[in-house]
């Protein structure tokens, strides 16, 4: 039997609505995701964990800010008039760290390492060891560094460092270990270690003396090169071991820097949006295929089924589930509904023992028949008791009819 256009529409309208919502959601997500957002510590990002605010302030002071994502670009830009900020030193391989160390050592400029871990400081900042991380809170400088004394209290913390270098300047200590360390390794160059990137974030720059310390740290030279290491950098697979030498997430407070990315951070954004859309589509499909809301409606069946077949099928289901209580309740309810008009009881009182039982008892001749136990008694204990109850209900109904 062919379906009418109305039937086809009713069967497919839910699917079409789900597809329309999926397309609308995809367009919305694509529009939201195409807004020029970047990752943590990105000087182009206006997000709370971006660093666009400090980059714009540096530009207003005459400092040029260049963003690089490869090792070759970073080493080529290093020089005595340049500050090289490495946003993710823990993301670099051993080969990349050694090349970067050699380049900045020859350049005699300033190098700023954001939360370098144990393996990173071993190459990029010799004579420095990493202590356990601590919370990020406001701390006074407690050192003679002019930039720190001018900035005053700053929100620092994160990784803490220990050094035996004679020319090192230790500032903002937490439990005796500095979280801002300056190593003067060359006549005109130095290396700055930040235990936490928080003072560079957009939403934390206006807190305490964060802006002052950030500007003095990154603006001491006329040029700032902001190095954001990338997994697509060809140098990441160069040298012995390639990417297998990358430092894992076990270096201290690895979750606080841009370089120490977790598994989700390494997944391309397109896959994340695609997964979200599929999950949204799955929810819509579940709602569409779930239980309908509202009252039941009659539906034209393709074939006619005899009442005896329906009764037999339901009886088999009851037997398979050992639902003797449901079967007995169905039999008793049907008997009460048939007895009510025979004894002058209205249909709405057919299930009321106080109304039905006196009327039925008045029509019975035998005094040994317990109508209450038959019509409102407990569920039978076994199949034999259920069969006996059926026979007794039939006998009760016949007696009422013939009385």
């Amino acid at each position: 039997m062919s379906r009418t256009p109305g039937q086809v529409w009713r069967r497919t309208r839910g699917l079409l609505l789900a597809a329309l919502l999926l397309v609308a959601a995809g367009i919305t997500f694509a529009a939201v995701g195409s807004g020029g957002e970047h990752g943590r510590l990105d000087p182009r990002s206006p997000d709370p964990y971006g660093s666009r605010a400090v980059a714009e302030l540096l530009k207003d002071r005459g400092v040029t800010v260049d963003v690089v994502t490869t090792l070759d670009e970073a080493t080529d830009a290093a020089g005595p008039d340049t500050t090289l900020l490495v946003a993710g030193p823990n993301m670099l391989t051993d080969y990349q760290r050694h090349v970067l160390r050699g380049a900045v050592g020859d350049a005699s400029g300033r190098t700023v390492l954001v939360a370098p871990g144990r393996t990173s400081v071993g190459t990029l900042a010799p004579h420095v060891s990493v202590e356990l991380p601590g919370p990020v809170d406001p701390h006074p400088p407690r050192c003679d560094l002019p930039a720190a004394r001018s900035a005053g209290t700053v929100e620092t913390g994160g990784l803490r460092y220990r050094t035996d270098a004679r020319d090192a300047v230790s500032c903002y200590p937490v439990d005796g270990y500095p979280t801002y360390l300056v190593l003067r390794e060359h006549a005109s160059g130095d290396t700055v270690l930040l235990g936490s990137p928080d003072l560079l974030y957009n939403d934390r720059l206006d807190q305490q003396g964060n802006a002052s310390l950030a500007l003095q740290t990154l603006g001491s030279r006329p040029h700032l090169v902001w190095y954001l290491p990338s997994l697509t950098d060809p140098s990441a697979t160069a040298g012995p071991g390639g990417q297998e030498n990358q430092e894992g997430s076990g270096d201290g407070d690895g979750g606080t820097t841009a370089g120490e990315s977790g598994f989700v951070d390494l997944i391309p954004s397109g896959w994340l949006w695609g997964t979200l859309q599929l999950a949204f589509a799955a929810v819509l499909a579940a709602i569409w295929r779930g239980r309908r809301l509202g009252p039941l409606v009659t539906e034209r069946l393709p074939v006619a089924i005899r009442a005896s077949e329906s009764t037999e099928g339901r009886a088999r289901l009851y037997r398979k589930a050992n639902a003797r209580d449901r079967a007995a309740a169905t039999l008793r309810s049907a008997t009460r509904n048939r007895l009510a008009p025979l004894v002058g009881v209205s249909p709405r009182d057919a299930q009321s023992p106080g109304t039905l039982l006196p009327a039925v008892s008045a029509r019975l001749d035998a005094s040994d028949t317990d109508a209450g136990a038959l019509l409102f008694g407990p569920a039978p204990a076994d199949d034999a008791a259920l069969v006996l109850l059926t026979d007794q209900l039939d006998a009760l109904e016949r007696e009422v009819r013939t009385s």
Side-chain angles (χ1 to χ4, degrees):
M1 180 177 62
S2 61
R3 296 187 177 93
T4 64
Q7 291 176 325
V8 174
W9 164 247
R10 285 191 294 271
R11 292 180 63 88
T12 59
R13 61 185 178 183
L15 183 60
L16 293 176
L17 178 60
L20 180 61
L21 291 177
L22 182 60
V23 172
I27 296 175
T28 303
F29 291 151
V32 172
S34 62
E37 299 177 355
H38 304 280
R40 289 175 178 252
L41 288 179
D42 194 318
R44 301 162 297 186
S45 173
D47 296 341
Y49 293 104
S51 300
R52 183 175 179 178
V54 67
E56 294 298 326
L57 291 175
L58 289 169
K59 292 177 183 179
D60 293 340
R61 291 170 172 256
V63 179
T64 60
V65 180
D66 297 320
V67 180
V68 298
T69 57
T70 64
L71 179 64
D72 291 340
E73 292 174 327
T75 55
D76 291 343
D81 296 331
T82 300
T83 298
L84 175 62
L85 182 144
V86 185
N90 300 321
M91 192 176 179
L92 300 175
T93 64
D94 288 340
Y95 169 78
Q96 289 176 311
R97 296 188 190 107
H98 282 91
V99 173
L100 184 63
R101 172 66 179 174
V104 299
D106 297 336
S108 300
R110 164 166 283 192
T111 304
V112 179
L113 304 176
V114 181
R118 292 186 179 91
T119 307
S120 298
V121 299
T123 305
L124 299 176
H127 309 293
V128 176
S129 60
V130 180
E131 299 295 327
L132 293 176
V136 177
D137 293 310
H139 296 285
R142 294 178 182 172
C143 66
D144 295 330
L145 186 69
R149 294 178 64 88
S150 175
T153 300
V154 171
E155 291 187 338
T156 58
L159 296 178
R160 301 173 298 167
Y161 303 101
R162 181 203 299 265
T163 182
D164 56 4
R166 292 179 298 175
D167 296 333
V169 180
S170 303
C171 299
Y172 299 99
V174 177
D175 296 333
Y177 299 105
T179 58
Y180 184 97
L181 185 62
V182 181
L183 302 174
R184 304 185 186 278
E185 302 176 296
H186 314 287
S188 60
D190 57 17
T191 300
V192 180
L193 281 71
L194 298 179
S196 170
D198 290 56
L199 64 91
L200 302 178
Y201 290 152
N202 292 329
D203 65 341
R204 306 293 285 273
L205 191 64
D206 60 344
Q207 304 296 322
Q208 306 292 333
N210 294 356
S212 176
L213 185 60
L215 294 177
Q216 294 183 80
T217 301
L218 304 182
S220 63
R221 269 74 171 173
H223 304 293
L224 171 62
V225 176
W226 203 295
Y227 179 24
L228 298 172
S230 171
L231 292 175
T232 60
D233 185 356
S235 65
T237 57
Q243 285 187 323
E244 294 180 358
N245 292 327
Q246 291 189 40
E247 182 176 357
S249 60
D251 276 345
D253 189 16
T256 60
T257 69
E260 298 179 2
S261 301
F263 175 74
V264 176
D265 297 326
L266 300 179
I267 301 177
S269 60
W271 287 95
L272 295 177
W273 288 118
T275 303
L276 183 59
Q277 293 180 48
L278 289 177
F280 184 68
V283 172
L284 290 179
I287 295 174
W288 172 54
R289 297 294 296 176
R291 179 175 296 182
R292 295 185 179 95
L293 302 178
L296 296 176
V297 295
T298 58
E299 183 179 4
R300 186 176 60 182
L301 298 178
V303 294
I305 301 177
R306 291 184 298 178
S308 59
E309 294 181 2
S310 299
T311 303
E312 184 178 356
R314 178 171 293 185
R316 289 178 178 176
L317 291 177
Y318 284 155
R319 181 177 182 181
K320 185 176 181 180
N322 289 325
R324 285 183 291 271
D325 53 342
R326 296 291 301 275
T330 301
L331 292 172
R332 283 167 166 158
S333 177
T335 302
R336 292 193 294 265
N337 289 332
R338 292 193 297 267
L339 289 177
L342 297 178
V343 296
V345 175
S346 63
R348 66 174 178 270
D349 295 327
Q351 309 301 325
S352 174
T355 304
L356 182 65
L357 287 179
V360 172
S361 299
R363 304 288 293 272
L364 299 178
D365 296 334
S367 58
D368 58 346
T369 302
D370 189 354
L374 292 178
L375 296 175
F376 297 97
D382 50 30
D383 291 346
L386 178 62
V387 174
L388 177 61
L389 174 64
T390 304
D391 295 339
Q392 291 175 337
L393 290 174
D394 288 341
L396 176 64
E397 185 175 351
R398 284 196 301 270
E399 186 174 354
V400 172
R401 287 182 181 275
T402 58
S403 63

